[in-house]
Amino acid sequence: MQCRSHAGYCVLRPTVMTMPMDSFKTFFRRLTGGRTVLVVFLVVALAVGGVIYWRSQASGTDAAGGRGQRGMGDRPQPVSVAQVRIADVPIWITALGTAVPRNQVTVHARVDGQLMQVHFREGQVVKQGDLLAEIDPRPFAVQLTQANGQLVRDAALLQNARVDLDRYKDLWAKDSIAKQQLDTQEALVHQYEGTVEIDRGTVDNARLQLTYAKVTAPASGLVGLRQVDPGNIVHAADANGLVVIAQLQPMTAVYSVPESYLPAISRRMATRDPITVEAWDREQKNRLAVGHLLTIDNLVDPTTGTIKLKAEFANADGALFPNQFANVRMLIGVREKALTVPGAAIQRGSKGAFVYSVDADGVVKSVPVTPGPQDAGIVAVDAALKPGEQVVTDGTDKLRDGAKVEVISPETRAKPPAGDQKGGPGGRRRPQGAPGPGSN
């Protein structure tokens, strides 16, 4: 570095660092003008003061935080509780089922021909025997006429053969003809009798075909969508048929349950008492129908270990629809005088299910339980609990054995904060009629 005096100032210009150490010290002493000791003292004083101030602030914050944490730890945790009760709990078996019509019929034409008229509306409820459609009857009427003519002709031939037979019998009695001629005439009469019977069958068949030209409902139920429009040629071999009729009343539901329930179900069916079955919607919020168990399948599905059951419902309001999904509940018994707790009180841990019991001093402890059947949010349990004992139902997140809790009732939750009751922050009550904050 080179220093050149210019107007009382020392101008530094960078050069190659070749200045000896003694020369550098001399240069620095000239630059500071002998104030090095004072500058160093001021810098050290400021650093020490900053460190002391920073430590005092940190210790104050930690002390305040410690007091706040200790205050929060000493405060009882608010919880909601419910009482342990004795009640009868129904035992339900739940399953996924499908609504199946008691009878579902695809209506086919019994004869081939042109579809002339349709006498039903899509979505209409029909009764058994109602006229659904008409096929052109003229070809079948002609066949009936021909069959009747054939019958009349053969009947006349039979009558003539019988008259000849009577004559041959008289002549044979007088020994005027041979016995062979009489036997031949008797055989002819039997032949004509057979022909007449065939003709009568032909007439009946032609009359039946004419009847089939009118398509009637084979069962009562709800008519689906029409498969064929009038004017088309229909055949008895058509796969889709004319229309599908599904019986809605009664309606059945098919569902599967694990084979482990089979002994209990069989015992109930052996008593001849109806087994109540309920059908619920997909969200299990609305009950669709109430019925009874109809039958059990005769085989267990080896791939799933389940067995199919069928229940029947009156379905008077039509709530169940064919092929509709339904949640099925089947009542197979009642657990009488069971110890019950709300389902929200049961917790799960590494050691199994348990509940938090609250004693008279507001201290909680975990009590192991074995859950049983449940209904309407109430669970029957096997546990070391007594009727009337309180168990925690809400606020269990941070609970531990021996923790202090404060029971919060719904009335307590509905009350406004204490500051609002006392007129604002600080709990100071404003005089009646005094303006609030922000009032002019």
Side-chain angles (χ1 to χ4, degrees):
M1 305 287 288
Q2 295 181 359
C3 178
R4 294 183 180 181
S5 176
H6 178 74
Y9 296 93
C10 182
V11 179
L12 301 178
R13 294 182 178 179
T15 59
V16 180
M17 184 63 69
T18 59
M19 184 183 296
M21 191 64 182
D22 294 339
S23 300
F24 180 78
K25 291 181 179 179
T26 304
F27 165 73
F28 186 75
R29 187 178 298 112
R30 291 177 181 178
L31 179 64
T32 57
R35 293 174 293 181
T36 304
V37 176
L38 179 61
V39 172
V40 171
F41 176 77
L42 291 176
V43 170
V44 172
L46 290 174
V48 172
V51 170
I52 294 173
Y53 177 78
W54 177 79
R55 288 185 177 181
S56 63
Q57 292 295 324
S59 62
T61 303
D62 293 342
R67 289 193 298 272
Q69 291 177 358
R70 288 193 296 271
M72 290 300 293
D74 296 339
R75 181 181 177 183
Q77 181 173 339
V79 296
S80 298
V81 298
Q83 289 187 348
V84 179
R85 301 181 184 275
I86 297 294
D88 295 340
V89 181
I91 302 174
W92 295 94
I93 297 177
T94 59
L96 303 179
T98 303
V100 178
R102 187 65 184 273
N103 293 307
Q104 181 170 320
V105 182
T106 301
V107 181
H108 289 269
R110 302 291 296 273
V111 292
D112 299 346
Q114 184 179 10
L115 184 63
M116 304 299 293
Q117 292 182 347
V118 174
H119 297 279
F120 65 89
R121 300 188 311 274
E122 295 173 327
Q124 175 186 353
V125 177
V126 298
K127 295 182 179 180
Q128 185 176 3
D130 289 350
L131 181 62
L132 299 180
E134 290 187 46
I135 300 174
D136 188 3
R138 292 173 295 179
F140 311 106
V142 172
Q143 294 177 6
L144 178 60
T145 302
Q146 293 176 347
N148 281 326
Q150 187 72 23
L151 175 61
V152 171
R153 187 194 67 177
D154 292 338
L157 293 176
L158 174 60
Q159 182 63 28
N160 183 58
R162 286 175 176 173
V163 172
D164 290 342
L165 178 60
D166 293 337
R167 292 173 181 168
Y168 289 162
K169 286 181 179 180
D170 292 339
L171 292 175
W172 181 74
K174 298 176 180 179
D175 200 17
S176 299
I177 59 174
K179 182 68 169 60
Q180 182 180 2
Q181 189 174 359
L182 177 61
D183 294 339
T184 302
Q185 189 63 28
E186 287 180 350
L188 183 61
V189 168
H190 293 314
Q191 179 181 349
Y192 285 146
E193 287 177 349
T195 303
V196 169
E197 290 298 324
I198 293 175
D199 293 340
R200 287 175 180 171
T202 303
V203 171
D204 293 340
N205 181 65
R207 188 177 290 113
L208 184 62
Q209 299 302 311
L210 183 60
T211 303
Y212 287 157
K214 293 184 177 182
V215 181
T216 58
S220 301
L222 183 66
V223 174
L225 301 179
R226 187 174 62 200
Q227 303 296 321
V228 182
D229 296 326
N232 288 284
I233 302 298
V234 296
H235 304 275
D238 290 341
N240 295 329
L242 302 178
V243 72
V244 177
I245 299 177
Q247 184 178 355
L248 301 183
Q249 299 170 351
M251 178 70 73
T252 63
V254 177
Y255 54 98
S256 299
V257 299
E259 60 178 338
S260 58
Y261 291 117
L262 187 56
I265 298 173
S266 300
R267 286 194 298 267
R268 280 296 311 275
M269 293 193 69
T271 61
R272 302 294 182 180
D273 293 333
I275 300 178
T276 302
V277 179
E278 296 180 351
W280 292 71
D281 62 358
R282 186 178 294 272
E283 291 77 17
Q284 296 190 9
K285 294 181 178 179
N286 300 314
R287 188 174 65 182
L288 303 177
V290 179
H292 63 277
L293 181 63
L294 190 63
T295 185
I296 304 176
D297 198 4
N298 60 348
L299 294 174
V300 174
D301 188 349
T303 59
T304 61
T306 59
I307 186 168
K308 289 184 178 180
L309 289 80
K310 178 181 285 188
E312 186 179 64
F313 305 91
N315 200 34
D317 56 353
L320 291 177
F321 205 75
N323 293 339
Q324 177 184 359
F325 172 85
N327 288 292
V328 179
R329 296 200 315 165
M330 182 172 59
L331 181 63
I332 63 170
V334 177
R335 187 170 179 176
E336 299 179 351
K337 298 180 180 180
L339 200 66
T340 62
V341 297
I346 299 179
Q347 307 298 315
R348 306 286 178 178
S350 58
K351 296 182 179 180
F354 64 93
V355 297
Y356 283 113
S357 174
V358 183
D359 61 12
D361 297 329
V363 179
V364 300
K365 68 174 181 179
S366 60
V367 179
V369 298
T370 302
Q374 59 180 343
D375 179 60
I378 302 299
V379 183
V381 296
D382 293 329
L385 297 172
K386 297 180 180 180
E389 194 170 347
Q390 291 183 332
V391 292
V392 179
T393 59
D394 189 15
T396 60
D397 296 339
K398 300 179 181 180
L399 287 185
R400 297 293 184 271
D401 283 347
K404 189 78 172 179
V405 297
E406 178 185 0
V407 177
I408 304 298
S409 63
E411 293 78 8
T412 306
R413 291 177 179 270
K415 289 182 179 179
D420 294 343
Q421 292 179 348
K422 295 182 179 181
R428 297 179 180 178
R429 185 184 300 274
R430 294 193 302 271
Q432 186 174 3
S439 302
N440 295 326

